[in-house]
């Protein structure tokens, strides 16, 4: 329940485990594989089925989901993950597959797992964000770091399963593509295992693979979900050479945030992304840090437009949707020029997060890890954006890459999201999409890599 007024910049208390996502449509791509094909007219067909017919079917998508086991309300000084796991219903991807085959759609089983993917795959993500060409040719030599808490013992094996299924090149410890370390950099003295955080880690690793398949991946596991340990893990990721660091977690803002900024998140020359949160309107940290790119969430749908996709603000209810808001503590970065918020405004950009239009993840560890699952939440959008930065190339040594999308604002390098809201607020753009900048989606979603380079 919210403990402050609707227009407060503070985060609410975290909502309980259950929810249902709004209807959404899916991509016109078969099984998340192959070359992207835009639906340029309502009569465009895939497998002999019109785009209009498929869209009508997938509009029926409706799912139930729960917070991942790492998403419980954190105590002061700790963070929770921003991952949502689909537990029932039919995803947009499943509805699309059924429409293409002319059969009744299957449903997600109560244990949430499936023998095959039930959410968007790599080619869906690459098509939606204009990344198909970049994903095929760029990213080699770049390392995207994932920072999470606790150990996922099956991380390497699950990553291998995901990449093999989608025909991506192997990314293993032995070939130097994948590395897992503790917050001190140890490869052998790792934190205790945790099933909930393992699901989060699988989501993050799979989204890097989907978006930048040629990137190397560094997983840094903090020994707990405390702000200090997670921040220490960020520092370790940078120390080990990562120029792109994704953080899919957050907690309530506090007066300590400005000190955390300089201790953990102030890394010029490094693109650091952070999830905006999953509880609707309200600010979260570290998304509120002026040194990170705050990433909001959208519902991603097929369209008969030239892009082939359309997006709106992800919102299921007043307490279920992408986060946004005006920070209570962090100073406004010089490149952020909206006038309604005197301090740091969340978000900067956005990507898919609605569980009904969720992404496929393979996770085999513990209660949350039973094979193929569909995940949503801004835990999906943060590693996607970190990986787009990686596709765009290494940032200049003195730059804070959060400013890059602002230089491209209003250009074709970003898909402006102009519909939807994530709650109630007295300053409209804090919670409602509009043309240009708004809180829930920032300047929009990627259309290629042009908005993510200096």
């Amino acid at each position: 329940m919210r403990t402050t007024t609707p227009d407060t910049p503070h985060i609410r208390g975290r909502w309980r485990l259950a929810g249902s996502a709004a209807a959404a449509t899916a991509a016109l791509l078969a099984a998340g594989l192959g070359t992207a094909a835009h639906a340029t007219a309502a009569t465009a067909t895939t497998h002999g089925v019109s785009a209009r017919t498929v869209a009508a079917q997938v509009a029926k998508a409706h799912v139930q989901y729960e917070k991942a086991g790492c998403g419980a309300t954190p105590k002061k000084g700790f963070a929770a993950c921003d991952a949502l796991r689909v537990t029932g219903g039919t995803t947009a991807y499943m509805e699309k597959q059924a429409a293409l085959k002319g059969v009744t759609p299957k449903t997600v089983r109560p244990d949430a797992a499936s023998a095959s993917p039930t959410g968007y795959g790599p080619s869906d993500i690459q098509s939606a964000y204009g990344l198909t060409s970049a994903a095929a040719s760029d990213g080699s030599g770049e390392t995207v770091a994932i920072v999470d808490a606790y150990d996922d013992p099956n991380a390497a094996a699950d990553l291998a399963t995901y990449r093999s299924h989608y025909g991506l090149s192997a990314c293993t410890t032995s070939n130097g593509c994948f590395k897992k370390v503790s917050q001190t950099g140890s490869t052998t003295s790792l934190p205790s295992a945790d099933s909930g955080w393992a699901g989060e880690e699988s989501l993050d690793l799979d989204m890097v693979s989907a978006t930048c398949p040629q990137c190397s991946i560094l997983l840094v596991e903090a020994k707990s979900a405390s702000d200090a340990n997670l921040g220490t893990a960020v520092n370790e990721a940078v120390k080990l050479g990562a120029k792109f660091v994704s953080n899919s977690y957050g907690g309530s803002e506090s007066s300590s945030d400005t000190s955390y900024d300089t201790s953990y998140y102030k890394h010029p020359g490094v693109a650091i992304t952070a999830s905006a949160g999953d509880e609707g309107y309200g600010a979260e940290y570290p998304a509120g840090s002026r040194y990170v790119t705050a990433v909001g969430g959208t519902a991603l749908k097929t369209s008969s437009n030239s892009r082939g996709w359309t997006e709106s603000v992800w919102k299921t209810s007043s307490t279920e949707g992408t986060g946004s808001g005006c920070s209570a503590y962090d100073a406004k970065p010089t490149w952020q020029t909206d006038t309604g918020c005197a301090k740091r405004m969340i978000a900067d950009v956005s990507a898919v997060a609605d569980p009904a239009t969720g992404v496929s993840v393979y996770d085999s560890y513990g209660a949350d890890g039973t094979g193929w699952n569909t995940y949503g939440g801004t835990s999906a959008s943060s590693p996607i954006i970190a990986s787009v930065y990686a596709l765009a190339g290494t940032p200049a040594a003195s730059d804070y890459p959060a400013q890059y999308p602002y230089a491209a604002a209003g250009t074709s390098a970003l898909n402006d999201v102009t519909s939807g809201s994530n709650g109630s607020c007295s300053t409209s753009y804090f919670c409602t999409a509009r043309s240009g900048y708004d809180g829930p989606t920032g300047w929009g979603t990627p259309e290629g890599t042009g908005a993510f380079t200096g």
Side-chain angles (χ1 to χ4, degrees):
M1 296 294 292
R2 189 186 298 274
T3 58
T4 52
T5 59
D7 200 35
T8 178
H10 295 278
I11 191 170
R12 287 93 30 246
R14 296 182 181 269
W15 47 273
R16 299 173 72 89
L17 292 182
S20 60
T25 51
L28 291 178
L29 294 173
L33 291 168
T35 302
H38 290 312
T40 56
T43 55
T45 62
T46 302
H47 299 278
V49 182
S50 74
R52 187 184 300 276
T53 298
V54 175
Q57 183 65 33
V58 299
K60 302 175 182 178
H62 188 83
V63 301
Q64 296 80 48
Y65 58 84
E66 66 181 11
K67 276 277 191 182
C70 50
T73 302
K75 62 183 179 181
K76 184 178 180 180
F78 284 73
C81 68
D82 286 315
L84 304 170
R85 191 172 69 111
V86 172
T87 57
T90 57
T91 66
Y93 177 84
M94 296 168 76
E95 292 281 3
K96 180 257 296 186
Q97 291 297 304
L100 293 175
K101 297 175 182 178
V103 299
T104 301
K106 297 180 179 180
T107 59
V108 175
R109 299 200 309 263
D111 65 3
S114 172
S116 59
T118 55
Y120 288 148
S123 66
D124 298 301
I125 294 167
Q126 294 168 22
S127 169
Y129 298 123
L131 301 170
T132 304
S133 177
S137 59
D138 300 331
S140 180
E142 304 289 7
T143 296
V144 179
I146 296 299
V147 171
D148 284 310
Y150 301 104
D151 179 41
D152 176 5
N154 297 356
D158 289 349
L159 177 64
T161 297
Y162 180 91
R163 294 179 71 102
S164 175
H165 177 87
Y166 286 111
L168 306 178
S169 60
C171 187
T172 65
T173 302
S174 59
N175 70 12
C177 175
F178 176 66
K179 185 176 183 178
K180 181 175 74 169
V181 301
S182 71
Q183 69 185 56
T184 64
S186 174
T187 58
T188 55
S189 182
L190 298 170
S192 59
D194 183 273
S195 176
W197 280 97
E200 171 66 63
E201 291 173 38
S202 291
L203 167 60
D204 295 342
L205 297 175
D206 291 352
M207 289 308 95
V208 176
S209 297
T211 310
C212 187
Q214 296 194 59
C215 284
S216 295
I217 307 175
L218 171 66
L219 173 60
V220 185
E221 298 177 330
K223 65 181 180 181
S224 79
S226 73
D227 294 335
N229 284 326
L230 288 164
T232 298
V234 172
N235 287 344
E236 184 64 26
V238 176
K239 178 182 175 182
L240 293 174
K243 298 299 182 182
F244 316 93
V245 183
S246 175
N247 304 279
S248 292
Y249 56 82
S252 300
E253 291 192 297
S254 77
S255 58
S256 300
D257 292 349
T258 53
S259 64
Y260 292 154
D261 281 353
T262 53
S263 296
Y264 305 126
Y265 298 102
K266 186 179 181 181
H267 292 287
V270 180
I272 301 178
T273 63
S275 300
D278 295 344
E279 299 170 7
Y281 175 67
E284 182 169 295
Y285 191 85
S289 170
R290 56 178 165 159
Y291 299 114
V292 312
T293 300
V295 186
T298 68
L300 177 66
K301 309 176 183 182
T302 55
S303 173
S304 59
N305 62 20
S306 59
R307 179 187 171 195
W309 302 83
T310 187
E311 288 173 279
S312 59
V313 175
W314 163 47
K315 176 189 175 184
T316 302
S317 71
S318 61
T319 56
E320 299 174 2
T322 183
S324 71
C326 181
S327 173
Y329 301 101
D330 254 77
K332 201 173 196 67
T334 57
W335 57 84
Q336 196 172 58
T337 59
D338 64 295
T339 59
C341 172
K343 292 189 179 294
R344 169 60 158 129
M345 187 68 194
I346 302 167
D348 299 309
V349 291
S350 50
V352 60
D354 186 345
T357 64
V359 296
S360 270
V361 173
Y362 191 83
D363 173 35
S364 66
Y365 182 73
D368 284 354
T370 46
W372 288 103
N373 291 267
T374 294
Y375 272 83
T378 53
S379 278
S381 55
S382 178
I384 289 173
I385 295 299
S387 301
V388 176
Y389 273 113
L391 289 172
T394 305
S398 61
D399 284 0
Y400 291 101
Q403 67 187 299
Y404 293 167
Y406 288 80
T411 72
S412 60
L414 290 162
N415 301 302
D416 192 8
V417 181
T418 60
S419 64
S421 70
N422 65 345
S424 299
C425 57
S426 61
T427 305
S428 178
Y429 79 89
F430 284 16
C431 64
T432 304
R434 63 178 184 177
S435 179
Y437 180 83
D438 57 71
T441 65
W443 283 108
T445 63
E447 184 57 42
T449 62
F452 297 86
T453 184

